Amino acid sequence: MRCCAGPGPRGGGALTTLLLTVYTILSKVHSDRNVYPSAGVLFVHVLEREYFKGEFPPYPKPGEISNDPITFNTNLMGYPDRPGWLRYIQRTPYSDGVLYGSPTVENVGKPTVIEITAYNRRTFETARHNLIINIMSAEDFPLPYQAEFFIRNMNVEEMLASEVLGDFLGAVKNVWQPERLNAINITSALDRGGRVPLPINDMKEGVYVMVGADVPFSSCLREVENPQNQLRCSQEMEPSITCDKKFRTQFHIDWCKISLVDNTKQVSTFQEVIRGEGILPDGGEYKPPSDTLKSRDYYSDFLITLAVPSAVALVLFLILAYIMCCRREGVIQLVHHSAIQKSTKELRDMSKNREIAWPLSTLPVFHPVTGEIVPPLHPDNYDNTSMPLMQTQQ
Ligand SMILES: *[C@@H]1O[C@H](CO)[C@@H](O)[C@H](O)[C@H]1NC(C)=O
């Protein structure tokens, strides 16, 4: 086997090269990406079509514009769907896909791996990427004052664009003046029972944006709570909010739908619960309630389940019986029938008592000239020549 030692390393080299190529392709297909969002702060990740276009063979040459429709599928690795906090939207195969959501504190620490599969809808090529979401804890800067705005003239994916969201947060900062302000969550109005608008006047679905800040709500944000504005809201009129003009150029806020949540009070009660010893006071032996169950009164149950249906059935039975016995057409027919029978019998009796002889025409057969009664014809003396030969005519 000495002979074969020579080519060995060369074959191994080719194999290594092949494996390296395969690995390069695989790592291109399975390229991972790490992101580090904070819990309780809005996370937005755009799946850019431009980036994924370069993944599909035939690879577009530089300067070449390919405009293939591309859609994405996103799921938690090993599961069919995304984690509950992460949502995904792509309006058309010609627009970018967006992953967004508000990571929850429970997921802090362990990385969340999202598999992203891009489909080229023209060539049916696919490309796979992993997005590794490492959720960071955000306890060091709590934002206990949370306000949720409803923006009427935006769709969720328009609002997710960083510059639009930045403009909105800038406007909120302007009217609230907090030290720190963060977007917490974004929800399409469609997820809250909203409707898809008619395709007229460029109407939008609307979007809810929740922001959190570290200082109490400004007087302007509270303006909607005054009685005048509450009245206008109940009459479906626009409330007059002085700081609305800070938003108006770009965002149409529905001030009646603003919700202001102050979590500082909830946090204090939460801490009180924690300060307990964790042991329940000894309440002695457990005594089950003894005969409270026995004294339960079934009388009304009985009435409802048995007596009422029986009463209804009885009433129906009586109505039916009345119809069958007293209102039946058959009864009249029976009366007719017995009356006819009675008359016939009377006639018969009367005819039996008659003295005169039977009219000849009522007798079976008689001779027209002599008047002699001829006995009924028998097949023997039947004159068959005068009769049509029915039987021979077949
Ligand atoms: C964000 O909004 C979604 C949809 O309304 C909701 O299910 C989720 O609980 C919200 N997350 C937070 C942290 O408020």
Side-chain angles (χ1 to χ4, degrees):
M1 294 298 117
R2 283 264 126 216
C3 64
C4 304
R10 267 170 63 200
L15 192 69
T16 314
T17 321
L18 184 71
L19 280 180
L20 215 67
T21 319
V22 168
Y23 177 75
T24 320
I25 292 170
L26 281 181
S27 64
K28 193 174 165 61
V29 171
H30 282 276
S31 56
D32 292 353
R33 205 163 152 192
N34 276 278
V35 283
Y36 300 89
S38 302
V41 177
L42 181 71
F43 162 72
V44 180
H45 180 79
V46 181
L47 309 177
E48 286 165 13
R49 287 183 71 242
E50 282 307 318
Y51 173 75
F52 280 91
K53 271 178 198 168
E55 301 277 304
F56 300 114
Y59 302 106
K61 293 169 195 76
E64 197 180 72
I65 298 159
S66 92
N67 200 23
D68 292 348
I70 295 173
T71 60
F72 302 95
N73 190 68
T74 56
N75 62 281
L76 186 61
M77 187 175 254
Y79 294 89
D81 205 353
R82 291 175 295 280
W85 62 269
L86 188 64
R87 278 158 290 148
Y88 169 72
I89 186 165
Q90 186 190 20
R91 188 67 48 165
T92 71
Y94 297 96
S95 56
D96 291 339
V98 187
L99 282 166
Y100 66 101
S102 187
T104 49
V105 188
E106 295 95 74
N107 300 307
V108 170
K110 49 182 195 293
T112 307
V113 182
I114 304 294
E115 289 181 324
I116 299 168
T117 315
Y119 298 88
N120 183 323
R121 291 286 163 186
R122 188 178 63 82
T123 61
F124 298 102
E125 290 282 346
T126 61
R128 165 71 61 81
H129 283 251
N130 284 343
L131 178 71
I132 301 163
I133 304 178
N134 306 280
I135 300 167
M136 314 302 275
S137 137
E139 275 153 28
D140 44 332
F141 51 93
L143 302 174
Y145 299 96
Q146 299 181 346
E148 192 174 51
F149 296 84
F150 178 56
I151 302 159
R152 276 182 293 197
N153 64 330
M154 292 273 164
N155 285 343
V156 63
E157 77 279 5
E158 294 172 318
M159 199 64 209
L160 286 169
S162 60
E163 61 277 6
V164 178
L165 193 58
D167 286 351
F168 180 73
L169 291 180
V172 175
K173 241 183 185 148
N174 202 338
V175 302
W176 195 343
Q177 309 285 345
E179 300 231 337
R180 261 194 309 267
L181 181 83
N182 261 328
I184 293 178
N185 211 349
I186 285 193
T187 311
S188 167
L190 299 184
D191 294 343
R192 299 260 182 103
R195 293 194 191 173
V196 177
L198 293 174
I200 49 170
N201 295 342
D202 199 20
M203 289 210 302
K204 300 297 168 80
E205 292 155 8
V207 59
Y208 291 88
V209 181
M210 184 179 261
V211 299
D214 52 352
V215 300
F217 307 109
S218 65
S219 58
C220 165
L221 292 179
R222 307 210 84 120
E223 266 174 33
V224 74
E225 289 173 354
N226 72 35
Q228 265 174 335
N229 283 333
Q230 287 295 309
L231 185 68
R232 291 176 77 92
C233 280
S234 66
Q235 292 166 345
E236 304 204 357
M237 283 156 62
E238 280 210 22
S240 58
I241 307 285
T242 47
C243 51
D244 181 50
K245 55 184 178 294
K246 296 265 167 54
F247 295 91
R248 189 45 81 165
T249 47
Q250 209 177 343
F251 306 100
H252 292 182
I253 310 275
D254 187 339
W255 291 97
C256 292
K257 285 194 180 164
I258 194 170
S259 86
L260 307 174
V261 179
D262 181 355
N263 280 332
T264 49
K265 291 159 197 158
Q266 290 175 13
V267 166
S268 65
T269 56
F270 182 64
Q271 280 169 349
E272 267 168 37
V273 172
I274 281 179
R275 260 185 249 119
E277 284 167 25
I279 303 161
L280 287 172
D282 185 14
E285 231 173 78
Y286 173 69
K287 290 188 204 72
S290 50
D291 44 8
T292 43
L293 280 176
K294 281 178 198 161
S295 65
R296 190 174 159 191
D297 188 9
Y298 288 101
Y299 184 65
S300 61
D301 289 3
F302 163 76
L303 275 189
I304 290 165
T305 54
L306 276 177
V308 171
S310 312
V312 171
L314 188 68
V315 168
L316 288 178
F317 171 76
L318 289 178
I319 292 172
L320 201 61
Y322 169 70
I323 292 172
M324 293 299 282
C325 297
C326 313
R327 309 275 316 190
R328 209 162 85 153
E329 290 192 358
V331 174
I332 297 161
Q333 281 168 5
L334 281 175
V335 170
H336 276 196
H337 183 251
S338 58
I340 291 167
Q341 241 182 351
K342 229 169 96 187
S343 318
T344 319
K345 195 164 174 284
E346 206 181 322
L347 274 174
R348 286 221 179 98
D349 289 347
M350 282 166 72
S351 68
K352 268 186 206 157
N353 299 339
R354 259 190 260 185
E355 307 284 87
I356 52 160
W358 291 88
L360 285 178
S361 60
T362 63
L363 290 175
V365 181
F366 64 98
H367 197 278
V369 181
T370 60
E372 177 199 3
I373 294 171
V374 179
L377 287 171
H378 290 288
D380 307 346
N381 53 4
Y382 189 71
D383 184 6
N384 43 7
T385 52
S386 61
M387 298 294 286
L389 298 170
M390 297 294 284
Q391 280 153 348
T392 56
Q393 271 183 353
Q394 307 181 7

